[in-house]
Amino acid sequence: MPKARFQYRRTSALNVIFLLLITISFIGAMFLAHRLTDKYIENEFNQRKIDVLEETLKPYNEFFQNKVPEISFYQGYLDSASALKYADSVFHEYAFVKGIEFYDTEISNHAIQKAFRINHFSMNPKAVYDYRPNKQGNVVSRQRTNPTNTASATMEEFNHMAVKFALYIESADPEKPLQSADFISIFYHITHNRITFMNIPRDEDMQTFKALMLKEQALSPVFQQDIVSFILDPGKLIIKNTNKELYQYIHITPIVYESLNTDPDILSTDLPLTGAFADYKLHFSSSRSHLNKEINHRLIPVAFAIILVYSVLVFIAYLIYSNLNVNRKMFSLQYDFINNLTHEFKTPVSVIKIAGNNIKSAKELSDRERFHYGKILDEEADKLNDLMNKLLSFTQIENHSITIKKEKIDLLVFIQNMVDAYQIKYPDFKITHSTGAVTSFKTDPVLLSSIFQNLMDNAYKYSLPQKKVLDIKVFLEKGNIVFKFIDQGIGIEKAESENVFKKFYRIQSRYNQQGSVGLGLAFCKELVNFMSGSIALKSKQGEGSEFTVVLPFEN
């Protein structure tokens, strides 16, 4: 009669669908992450240019805010020598300053020809000095003679400052202090590549200048006032690319410059400079391949996070699959266990029932028949009792509800008794043994005998009729006692070596028709582990098996 197949709901299709959905969503997430990163880099390409502008213009701003106002420290008494020294420090610190013009200015109420004059207020450059750095880094000085007779940018710059200063003096309110913006609008003149600055006079000087302008009085003393004009070169600004990962090329170009490059692979953007460099801009450009490096760099942690999340999902799917697979195997094992256990119980029960019926139906029983039936009933009862004890002991060991009761045993006597019992039971079972120098051993004899019984049963059960041979060897090794059980049975495949110690596991082969429930070797392993030992198997199919039990040795 063919064996019935067990039924278990399979979820392979659900697992495949789940993995497929995870894969599709993973690919979608990676694609979306790449697109978002790409868009983010493009936005940064257009926004982070302000950082480059600030870093590039930092020397200019420091020059404008700190270096230029140093002229006021001289309070109008800056002479050509001091101006030369000042110019030298500027050229050394700020490469974008290519020239300095120093106006040694006089203010009075004198009527000076060609001087700038409003009411009684006269303002006139006594001398103009031009400072330029040469190739060797030294400052070259040149004085311009008769500057008022020169119709040039030099006098235009002076007149601009004179007009602004005169208008401020005329409308100045001594009760109202100047704000920062007022200082810039009055004492600075910022034009194309040029910054002109006038010394900021003291409050008492301002009152004197206002009196000179509005009141007619005797000839006044001549007051000194300094004006310095800085000529700048935007090409000498040092571009500080603080975002090299975004900007491959940065150039300073005229504000009207338009790139003729129409390559779609090149991204570009502009940002105008400020102050005296307002006619110029920073032109940024990068190739798509350059930005892709940054995109991939930014994508790595995002991709890692996505991979981590999906790895967790895949791991969860694997755990679910493994759990279902284990459940399926457990279902199969339990199914086989119930069938085999039923068979194991059914056989002795049937034999007992037949023997009982024969006894019941017989009118008279001879001594020979009574002995025969009594032996049958006794043997089958022993089988049932052995099976029940094995199940009960297995449960007790798993739950650690029994204790080890050690006593000193004579190994030779112990093994000989086991051998004698089996040779009486199985006359065709040839058993040899040797204990070497080991004579006694302190252990639990009941548990040790259970180990012997299971391994000896296994050797007899899975050996061919002409090869029912077992050799038991005992010896000491590294403070442990070693028991080797070497048979010449059918052997076990290497792939099955670990599985044979699992509960309810039975090797599916044509030789395994002995009605085993898959508890013998599992019970044996539990016993050995409970006794703080180990058990191992070496086997070759068709040649036999070797079980090695190692236990702590106590004499």
Side-chain angles (χ1 to χ4, degrees):
M1 182 177 178
K3 184 180 178 180
R5 292 172 61 89
F6 69 88
Q7 299 296 319
Y8 188 81
R9 187 175 64 181
R10 297 180 181 273
T11 57
S12 301
L14 291 176
N15 289 327
V16 172
I17 293 172
F18 181 69
L19 289 175
L20 186 62
L21 289 175
I22 286 179
T23 303
I24 293 173
S25 60
F26 173 75
I27 295 173
M30 291 295 291
F31 176 76
L32 183 62
H34 187 275
R35 288 293 302 273
L36 291 175
T37 305
D38 188 2
K39 195 68 178 177
Y40 181 76
I41 292 297
E42 278 194 28
N43 291 336
E44 280 206 335
F45 181 82
N46 292 315
Q47 295 173 2
R48 297 294 295 275
K49 56 189 177 181
I50 189 67
D51 298 337
V52 178
L53 177 68
E54 290 177 353
E55 288 298 317
T56 301
L57 289 182
K58 186 178 287 184
Y60 167 78
N61 292 330
E62 195 274 336
F63 164 76
F64 183 83
Q65 296 170 7
N66 300 324
K67 193 65 179 179
V68 171
E70 282 185 12
I71 298 167
S72 293
F73 295 164
Y74 296 93
Q75 289 298 320
Y77 295 101
L78 186 67
D79 56 18
S80 59
S82 301
L84 177 63
K85 185 177 179 181
Y86 171 80
D88 183 62
S89 67
V90 171
F91 292 139
H92 277 86
E93 291 181 45
Y94 306 100
F96 54 84
V97 181
K98 69 176 182 180
I100 297 176
E101 294 176 348
F102 168 54
Y103 302 83
D104 189 3
T105 306
E106 295 180 340
I107 295 177
S108 66
N109 60 359
H110 302 179
I112 302 173
Q113 188 179 9
K114 294 187 178 181
F116 175 82
R117 188 172 178 81
I118 294 181
N119 296 335
H120 308 292
F121 179 83
S122 296
M123 191 170 178
N124 181 59
K126 181 177 62 174
V128 178
Y129 297 90
D130 192 1
Y131 301 105
R132 304 275 173 166
N134 59 17
K135 294 182 180 180
Q136 290 75 31
N138 299 319
V139 180
V140 177
S141 175
R142 181 171 66 89
Q143 180 180 0
R144 299 183 184 181
T145 58
N146 298 322
T148 56
N149 294 326
T150 304
S152 63
T154 300
M155 286 310 300
E156 286 183 13
E157 201 65 26
F158 174 81
N159 290 333
H160 272 297
M161 296 304 296
V163 170
K164 292 171 70 173
F165 188 54
L167 292 175
Y168 166 66
I169 292 172
E170 187 176 22
S171 59
D173 184 357
E175 301 297 329
K176 184 179 179 182
L178 290 175
Q179 303 297 321
S180 298
D182 297 329
F183 282 106
I184 293 175
S185 62
I186 297 168
F187 299 102
Y188 286 85
H189 184 231
I190 303 171
T191 56
H192 175 67
N193 295 342
R194 182 188 284 262
I195 297 175
T196 303
F197 176 77
M198 175 184 290
N199 166 53
I200 301 174
R202 296 170 297 183
D203 291 340
E204 52 268 30
D205 292 335
M206 292 296 298
Q207 294 175 10
T208 302
F209 295 158
K210 188 164 188 175
L212 289 176
M213 180 180 290
L214 302 178
K215 298 178 182 179
E216 186 175 355
Q217 50 186 294
L219 292 179
S220 67
V222 176
F223 300 94
Q224 299 296 317
Q225 183 74 355
D226 299 325
I227 298 175
V228 180
S229 185
F230 303 88
I231 303 165
L232 311 179
D233 181 4
K236 295 294 181 68
L237 279 174
I238 299 174
I239 298 173
K240 296 182 180 179
N241 189 357
T242 56
N243 297 288
K244 293 181 180 180
E245 70 280 1
L246 296 175
Y247 306 116
Q248 189 174 9
Y249 306 106
I250 305 176
H251 301 288
I252 296 175
T253 62
I255 196 74
V256 295
Y257 169 81
E258 290 292 339
S259 176
L260 299 177
N261 193 332
T262 58
D263 187 353
D265 191 52
I266 301 295
L267 273 71
S268 61
T269 185
D270 300 316
L271 188 64
L273 300 176
T274 58
F277 301 128
D279 292 338
Y280 294 85
K281 65 182 179 182
L282 289 177
H283 180 73
F284 304 82
S285 62
S286 295
S287 65
R288 176 57 66 176
S289 59
H290 179 78
L291 291 177
N292 283 340
K293 293 179 183 178
E294 180 61 14
I295 291 172
N296 294 333
H297 178 71
R298 301 279 185 94
L299 190 61
I300 288 174
V302 178
F304 179 77
I306 293 174
I307 291 172
L308 184 63
V309 170
Y310 281 92
S311 297
V312 172
L313 291 177
V314 171
F315 180 69
I316 292 173
Y318 168 75
L319 291 179
I320 294 173
Y321 172 77
S322 298
N323 186 57
L324 293 174
N325 196 42
V326 168
N327 289 340
R328 185 178 66 82
K329 289 181 178 178
M330 287 299 297
F331 181 84
S332 175
L333 290 173
Q334 290 173 7
Y335 180 84
D336 290 341
F337 169 71
I338 292 171
N339 279 343
N340 294 325
L341 191 64
T342 303
H343 176 75
E344 285 292 301
F345 273 102
K346 188 175 181 180
T347 300
V349 168
S350 298
V351 172
I352 291 171
K353 186 172 180 62
I354 292 171
N357 286 332
N358 289 340
I359 294 171
K360 181 181 177 182
S361 60
K363 294 181 179 180
E364 291 184 4
L365 291 175
S366 64
D367 291 340
R368 186 168 177 270
E369 287 176 329
R370 187 170 53 255
F371 176 79
H372 174 67
Y373 286 127
K375 183 181 178 182
I376 290 174
L377 292 173
D378 185 62
E379 287 178 350
E380 297 305 320
D382 285 342
K383 287 182 180 179
L384 289 174
N385 186 59
D386 181 63
L387 184 60
M388 294 301 298
N389 286 338
K390 187 175 288 186
L391 288 172
L392 180 61
S393 298
F394 203 119
T395 304
Q396 289 175 334
I397 290 173
E398 282 187 327
N399 296 327
H400 293 83
S401 58
I402 62 174
T403 58
I404 297 176
K405 298 177 181 179
K406 292 185 178 181
E407 60 182 76
K408 195 169 185 178
I409 62 173
D410 187 313
L411 271 175
L412 190 59
V413 173
F414 175 84
I415 296 175
Q416 189 62 52
N417 290 337
M418 296 293 300
V419 171
D420 292 344
Y422 267 83
Q423 287 184 332
I424 292 172
K425 186 176 181 181
Y426 305 116
D428 59 336
F429 196 12
K430 297 178 181 180
I431 306 173
T432 59
H433 60 88
S434 62
T435 59
V438 188
T439 57
S440 60
F441 175 44
K442 191 174 182 180
T443 187
D444 188 321
V446 176
L447 299 183
L448 186 62
S449 63
S450 295
I451 295 173
F452 269 72
Q453 286 173 8
N454 279 282
L455 293 177
M456 293 171 78
D457 279 342
N458 199 71
Y460 183 82
K461 187 183 294 184
Y462 294 105
S463 295
L464 297 176
Q466 66 275 21
K467 289 188 176 182
K468 293 187 180 294
V469 177
L470 177 64
D471 183 23
I472 302 172
K473 294 181 180 180
V474 183
F475 55 91
L476 295 177
E477 184 179 77
K478 297 180 180 179
N480 296 316
I481 186 167
V482 180
F483 300 88
K484 283 188 178 290
F485 297 80
I486 305 168
D487 64 44
Q488 297 178 13
I490 61 176
I492 301 170
E493 291 183 11
K494 189 175 181 180
E496 301 280 5
S497 296
E498 289 297 325
N499 294 327
V500 296
F501 294 109
K502 293 180 180 178
K503 188 165 56 174
F504 307 135
Y505 188 85
R506 297 173 69 243
I507 298 173
Q508 301 299 324
S509 73
R510 63 191 179 91
Y511 299 107
N512 195 11
Q513 305 297 327
Q514 308 297 325
S516 170
V517 293
L519 281 176
L521 290 177
F523 179 58
C524 195
K525 184 177 178 64
E526 287 293 329
L527 281 173
V528 171
N529 290 341
F530 184 68
M531 297 170 71
S532 303
S534 63
I535 184 170
L537 167 65
K538 284 199 307 184
S539 183
K540 191 170 183 180
Q541 198 167 17
E543 295 185 9
S545 301
E546 178 185 302
F547 288 89
T548 302
V549 177
V550 180
L551 296 173
F553 179 71
E554 292 184 45
N555 196 354

